[in-house]
Amino acid sequence: MTAFETSPTDAAPQLAQVASSLVDASYASRVDPDDELRGALLDMLWPAYISVEDVLQHLRPRRNRNLVGSYLGFEMRFASELSEEDLPAVLEWAIGQLHNGRSPSELRSSTADVQGSDEEPPDERPVGRLDIELIDGIVERALSGDGALSRAREVALILRPRLERFDHPPLPTAVDAEDEDGREPPRFRDLRHALAHSLVELAATTDTFDRAKIWAIADGWGTRDRSWRVRKPVLPDGLRRANRGYLLTGADFPWAYERASEALGVGNRILAEALAQVAGYLFDLSDAASGELAYSNPDHPVWPHVKWWFEPVPLDSDLANLWRQAHGRRRDRVDDGLPSVEREEFVAKLNQLLADAAAGNVDAFWRLAWQLQADPNSGEGTLRLDDDILDFPGLAALDGSGVDVLIEAAVHFIANEHDHSGEWLGTNRYDKRGWAGYLALALLERKDRLSEVPNAAWSSWAGALIWFHTVPSNAGDREIKLRLLSRAVEHSASQLAAAVDAYVRGELMQGHLASETELVDPAWHVELADTFAALLTELADAITRTRGDDGPSDAAGQQAPHPAPDEPPNGRKADQAALSLTTDESRTHALQRWEEMLVALLQAQDQRAVDTAHHALEADVSSGWQRQLAARAARALLTVDSHQYLATVLSAVGKDAALGRDVALCLGASYSDFLADLEEEQLAELYRWLSGLFPPEDDVPIEGVHFVGPEEQTREWRDRVLQSISSRGSEQALRALTKLRDEYPSRVIITSHILRARTNLFASAWSPPTPVELAALFEDANRRLVRSERELADLLVEVLEAIGNDLPTHGELLWDRLPARVLPKSYQLKEAWLPKPEPALSAYISHELTKRLERRGLAVNREVLVRPTDAYGAGDRTDIQIEATMRDDPVKGPTPDRIVVVIEVKGPWNRELLSAQQQQLAQRYLPEAGTRTGIYLVGWYPLEQWTYKGDYRRRRVAQLSEHALLASLETQAASITRLDALTVPFLLTIPRPHRNSDGT
């Protein structure tokens, strides 16, 4: 593979010879039992260096059905890249392969016949000698392009075996399209009918044509998303997948009726009868046109299959009695909701509670909030876990001005009641007044009315603010809670700190996670920092308190026999009960909370956090829980500042082998992403430590779908360290890798990374232009000499500036206009404007770059997958990735064939706006894309032109200044250079045509 990357033209003939040797099945089963070599070779050689005929010799069912590897990847892409010229031969070959049956020589590495495997679902097993991924890909490709209609019969021959064994194959994209109004374009409908006709014609030639075969043709298609298996063709603009899951419906009855007539007219009675049965299956008497068509011609072949719909049923017959009974049961099941009298009473009760709450009755407000969870039509309701009271079903029962009155009542409730958290916070109960108070604060925040809350009132709701659930995905809005907490800390820091203490103690002693503290930042106030520091000390004591064993107990729930300390830990009141963790589960949760609070305090640059972590690392780690605490301390230090603390951690773990292993497993299990902060020699030292604990020579590949344990994750992370070094492409990286190669000469992977590091170094090296290049530049003003990522970035910035200069003429394309009819009545505007979402801006920038950079040897790609996280296509994706081709260097020979710059696009409302330049672009996307240079583009929408003030995004942007934002991002970019990365902030102003104050 390295030879091919360096000089593909020279390497291709030799690699083709290697591939041809794998045609021998017995030889291939010995040297390539999992088809990984076969897949890699096919992927490199086709279509540039070998023909389709050569490829077809290699296509056969995968031996290892559990492996998602290179051969499966080739199967998935092969058909989508077939030309129109090659397609007929592939279709003929595929039809023949479907009926070849089993091949005794094609054995899995486990010696079990592929087709006889019971380890995978029946609908995923090969058909004949074809994997279903290959079948689905060929079907999708055959039904695309200009000749799709003429290939319907071949596609039917390929699909028929899967339908006959009831596989529920996915409905091809080309016969499952609709426009934005849900209508099927005629061209796609004709193709769908042609496929259905071919399937019926093939099935009619068998001995029996029954309803089972009709069902398979019409309805035997799957709706399960297997999009990762096959590259689906892209539908034309304005069309989308309909996701029907069926090929024919009742709406196709007239088509089947006419096709039956045509078949009868040409004397094909067998086909006419088959199509008549299909029409009878599709017939729906509720469709008047179909009923009239069927009834109008009793001599038509369809009539025998539909006439029973029209025949009379005697009123005293058994069938009539059965129908009566069924109708009675159905009527008994009809749920009409609440009787009208009860419904009216319930609505009146809600409005009376609202009136009482508005008049100052604080009890009425929380009772109203509780009742609003019920649907006034049915009387049923579920306990709401979210915080948006305006979305509660009972709100529909309030009178016309009910929302405005509710807001006024919420202000009064907050000012005159409190959450009573002293009675319930930290227990397994809660008070409805605290719950309603949080709903009231969230309502006022959504309506921008928090300024009406008296400053003194915030202390009355500290407990509710800490307790209300927002961390789970189905709970309240985290952003709203963060804004509420930031307000509360200004006026009630002491009460908030006390609530944090009570909440953490109570939750952990009950065995819960105390997750809501994730949203509390100790840097907000010194009292919060004091509480965090005190809790860290007491939690560490509770977690590691002696239990009479050397680690976590096997018996969850066993009482921990420990004496109470003589005096309370620092920060705990003398009358406050000691924190007691009585089960392994509660200790595990406390350990997680301890680590997350330690990270928060470290990020707040509190020296007590550093001391706490050092104490955990230096303590006696003979017990299992103490080692776990030390491992979490190590991970916290490295998470916050790995560059500063790596030496400290490695020194501590070098003193105890068991601690070292626990720390490594802890780091590997969390996919720790702090490698970008480390220098090359630090990364090399980290690799030495990890490979000493987990030598690559001891790695054991595990096949099939399985749970990935901590050790396997840690071994993978060990290899990522080498990848991180080689991606730097610096002289320091080469020196570090060369030392490692000398220390571990048998590890080929290190040599491979040396080659990659050298390639990256060459790509970044500056070289002067030749006279020929200079002459070409002088002859063509559009040409630009690009020899490095920085030069490419400079070119892109110039193009972005040109885009910005042109935007005023058409900037409205990136804005959404809301007409007056959809605006709230309080808006006295004829229209309102708000920015389009980020993906629209990204698509526009990609389009403009493509148009302006054409014929310059540059490729503009959107949503490039740079780090997959599973086999289904999920993972990190860059917004825009620009790639330039490198020239051959006369001295260095073939150099890397790409220079890459990543563009990350953000709207100014993005909550990660001020952190994503470093954490997302510099630390993740650039290393994963194999580059060190990126552009951080922020689309700036002038606030005065953003006239829809109901947009939550506007409130975020209102707190920013265009010039201050750019200055902040430029300062951040300067600090990013220490990560051996270059990011260029760029603000693109996006105006829209509008009238100025002078009327122009």
Side-chain angles (χ1 to χ4, degrees), residues 16-28 38 54-58 60 63 105-106:
Q17 290 182 8
V18 175
S20 64
S21 67
L22 299 178
V23 175
D24 183 341
S26 60
Y27 174 74
R38 183 194 306 272
D54 294 329
V55 172
L56 296 182
Q57 298 180 69
H58 290 280
R60 62 198 67 196
R63 294 183 178 88
S105 62
E106 287 302 307

Short mmCIF file of all heavy atoms in Angstrom, two decimals, residues 16-28 38 54-58 60 63 105-106:
data_model
loop_
_atom_site.label_atom_id
_atom_site.label_comp_id
_atom_site.label_asym_id
_atom_site.label_seq_id
_atom_site.Cartn_x
_atom_site.Cartn_y
_atom_site.Cartn_z
N ALA A 16 -1.42 -5.99 -9.41
CA ALA A 16 -2.40 -6.72 -10.21
C ALA A 16 -2.05 -8.20 -10.28
O ALA A 16 -2.94 -9.07 -10.27
CB ALA A 16 -2.49 -6.12 -11.62
N GLN A 17 -0.75 -8.51 -10.35
CA GLN A 17 -0.33 -9.92 -10.35
C GLN A 17 -0.67 -10.59 -9.02
O GLN A 17 -1.11 -11.73 -8.97
CB GLN A 17 1.18 -10.02 -10.62
CG GLN A 17 1.57 -9.66 -12.04
CD GLN A 17 3.06 -9.82 -12.28
OE1 GLN A 17 3.78 -10.33 -11.43
NE2 GLN A 17 3.53 -9.38 -13.45
N VAL A 18 -0.45 -9.84 -7.93
CA VAL A 18 -0.83 -10.39 -6.62
C VAL A 18 -2.33 -10.66 -6.57
O VAL A 18 -2.78 -11.71 -6.09
CB VAL A 18 -0.42 -9.41 -5.49
CG1 VAL A 18 -0.92 -9.93 -4.14
CG2 VAL A 18 1.08 -9.23 -5.46
N ALA A 19 -3.10 -9.73 -7.10
CA ALA A 19 -4.56 -9.91 -7.09
C ALA A 19 -4.97 -11.12 -7.91
O ALA A 19 -5.86 -11.89 -7.51
CB ALA A 19 -5.24 -8.65 -7.62
N SER A 20 -4.34 -11.32 -9.06
CA SER A 20 -4.72 -12.45 -9.92
C SER A 20 -4.45 -13.78 -9.24
O SER A 20 -5.15 -14.77 -9.48
CB SER A 20 -3.96 -12.37 -11.24
OG SER A 20 -2.56 -12.51 -11.03
N SER A 21 -3.46 -13.83 -8.35
CA SER A 21 -3.19 -15.09 -7.65
C SER A 21 -4.31 -15.46 -6.70
O SER A 21 -4.48 -16.63 -6.34
CB SER A 21 -1.86 -14.99 -6.89
OG SER A 21 -1.97 -14.06 -5.82
N LEU A 22 -5.10 -14.47 -6.27
CA LEU A 22 -6.18 -14.74 -5.33
C LEU A 22 -7.42 -15.31 -6.00
O LEU A 22 -8.39 -15.66 -5.31
CB LEU A 22 -6.55 -13.45 -4.58
CG LEU A 22 -5.45 -12.82 -3.73
CD1 LEU A 22 -5.94 -11.53 -3.08
CD2 LEU A 22 -4.97 -13.79 -2.66
N VAL A 23 -7.42 -15.40 -7.32
CA VAL A 23 -8.54 -16.04 -8.02
C VAL A 23 -8.61 -17.51 -7.66
O VAL A 23 -9.69 -18.11 -7.62
CB VAL A 23 -8.40 -15.83 -9.54
CG1 VAL A 23 -9.49 -16.60 -10.29
CG2 VAL A 23 -8.46 -14.35 -9.88
N ASP A 24 -7.45 -18.12 -7.38
CA ASP A 24 -7.38 -19.51 -6.93
C ASP A 24 -7.95 -19.57 -5.51
O ASP A 24 -7.35 -19.08 -4.55
CB ASP A 24 -5.93 -19.98 -6.94
CG ASP A 24 -5.80 -21.45 -6.55
OD1 ASP A 24 -6.74 -22.00 -5.95
OD2 ASP A 24 -4.75 -22.04 -6.85
N ALA A 25 -9.13 -20.19 -5.35
CA ALA A 25 -9.84 -20.16 -4.08
C ALA A 25 -9.06 -20.85 -2.98
O ALA A 25 -9.02 -20.39 -1.83
CB ALA A 25 -11.21 -20.81 -4.24
N SER A 26 -8.41 -21.98 -3.29
CA SER A 26 -7.68 -22.71 -2.24
C SER A 26 -6.48 -21.90 -1.76
O SER A 26 -6.17 -21.87 -0.56
CB SER A 26 -7.24 -24.07 -2.76
OG SER A 26 -6.39 -23.91 -3.90
N TYR A 27 -5.79 -21.25 -2.69
CA TYR A 27 -4.66 -20.40 -2.31
C TYR A 27 -5.14 -19.20 -1.50
O TYR A 27 -4.55 -18.86 -0.46
CB TYR A 27 -3.92 -19.94 -3.56
CG TYR A 27 -2.81 -18.95 -3.28
CD1 TYR A 27 -1.60 -19.36 -2.71
CD2 TYR A 27 -2.97 -17.61 -3.59
CE1 TYR A 27 -0.59 -18.45 -2.45
CE2 TYR A 27 -1.96 -16.68 -3.34
CZ TYR A 27 -0.77 -17.12 -2.77
OH TYR A 27 0.23 -16.21 -2.51
N ALA A 28 -6.23 -18.58 -1.94
CA ALA A 28 -6.74 -17.40 -1.25
C ALA A 28 -7.19 -17.73 0.16
O ALA A 28 -7.04 -16.92 1.09
CB ALA A 28 -7.90 -16.79 -2.04
N ARG A 38 -7.70 -9.04 -0.64
CA ARG A 38 -8.49 -8.95 -1.88
C ARG A 38 -9.18 -7.58 -1.97
O ARG A 38 -9.12 -6.89 -2.99
CB ARG A 38 -9.52 -10.07 -1.93
CG ARG A 38 -10.34 -10.11 -3.23
CD ARG A 38 -11.56 -11.02 -3.06
NE ARG A 38 -11.19 -12.35 -2.60
CZ ARG A 38 -10.87 -13.35 -3.41
NH1 ARG A 38 -10.88 -13.17 -4.71
NH2 ARG A 38 -10.55 -14.53 -2.92
N ASP A 54 -11.82 -8.27 -14.92
CA ASP A 54 -10.88 -8.72 -13.89
C ASP A 54 -11.52 -8.70 -12.51
O ASP A 54 -11.32 -9.61 -11.70
CB ASP A 54 -9.63 -7.82 -13.89
CG ASP A 54 -8.82 -7.95 -15.17
OD1 ASP A 54 -8.83 -9.05 -15.75
OD2 ASP A 54 -8.21 -6.95 -15.57
N VAL A 55 -12.30 -7.67 -12.25
CA VAL A 55 -12.95 -7.54 -10.94
C VAL A 55 -13.95 -8.67 -10.72
O VAL A 55 -14.02 -9.26 -9.64
CB VAL A 55 -13.65 -6.17 -10.82
CG1 VAL A 55 -14.49 -6.12 -9.54
CG2 VAL A 55 -12.64 -5.05 -10.83
N LEU A 56 -14.71 -9.01 -11.76
CA LEU A 56 -15.76 -10.01 -11.61
C LEU A 56 -15.20 -11.37 -11.20
O LEU A 56 -15.89 -12.16 -10.55
CB LEU A 56 -16.56 -10.14 -12.91
CG LEU A 56 -17.34 -8.88 -13.33
CD1 LEU A 56 -18.12 -9.15 -14.61
CD2 LEU A 56 -18.28 -8.42 -12.23
N GLN A 57 -13.96 -11.65 -11.55
CA GLN A 57 -13.35 -12.93 -11.14
C GLN A 57 -13.18 -13.01 -9.63
O GLN A 57 -13.08 -14.10 -9.07
CB GLN A 57 -11.97 -13.09 -11.79
CG GLN A 57 -11.98 -13.14 -13.31
CD GLN A 57 -10.57 -13.31 -13.84
OE1 GLN A 57 -9.95 -14.35 -13.67
NE2 GLN A 57 -10.06 -12.27 -14.48
N HIS A 58 -13.12 -11.85 -8.99
CA HIS A 58 -12.83 -11.81 -7.55
C HIS A 58 -14.08 -11.72 -6.68
O HIS A 58 -13.98 -11.91 -5.46
CB HIS A 58 -11.94 -10.60 -7.23
CG HIS A 58 -10.55 -10.72 -7.74
ND1 HIS A 58 -9.58 -11.45 -7.10
CD2 HIS A 58 -9.96 -10.21 -8.88
CE1 HIS A 58 -8.45 -11.37 -7.79
NE2 HIS A 58 -8.65 -10.63 -8.87
N ARG A 60 -17.20 -12.69 -4.78
CA ARG A 60 -17.78 -13.93 -4.22
C ARG A 60 -18.22 -13.60 -2.80
O ARG A 60 -17.82 -12.58 -2.24
CB ARG A 60 -16.72 -15.03 -4.23
CG ARG A 60 -15.51 -14.73 -3.37
CD ARG A 60 -14.33 -15.60 -3.73
NE ARG A 60 -13.85 -15.28 -5.06
CZ ARG A 60 -13.04 -16.06 -5.76
NH1 ARG A 60 -12.63 -17.20 -5.26
NH2 ARG A 60 -12.64 -15.71 -6.95
N ARG A 63 -15.97 -14.50 3.17
CA ARG A 63 -15.75 -15.65 4.03
C ARG A 63 -16.07 -15.31 5.48
O ARG A 63 -16.70 -16.09 6.18
CB ARG A 63 -14.29 -16.11 3.91
CG ARG A 63 -13.92 -16.66 2.54
CD ARG A 63 -12.48 -17.15 2.57
NE ARG A 63 -12.07 -17.74 1.31
CZ ARG A 63 -11.55 -17.05 0.30
NH1 ARG A 63 -11.39 -15.76 0.43
NH2 ARG A 63 -11.20 -17.64 -0.82
N SER A 105 -15.61 -24.92 -2.62
CA SER A 105 -14.27 -24.40 -2.39
C SER A 105 -14.27 -23.07 -1.65
O SER A 105 -13.25 -22.65 -1.13
CB SER A 105 -13.53 -24.22 -3.72
OG SER A 105 -14.23 -23.28 -4.52
N GLU A 106 -15.42 -22.39 -1.65
CA GLU A 106 -15.49 -21.08 -0.98
C GLU A 106 -15.88 -21.29 0.47
O GLU A 106 -17.05 -21.26 0.84
CB GLU A 106 -16.51 -20.17 -1.68
CG GLU A 106 -16.03 -19.64 -3.01
CD GLU A 106 -14.73 -18.88 -2.85
OE1 GLU A 106 -14.65 -17.96 -2.02
OE2 GLU A 106 -13.77 -19.22 -3.55
#
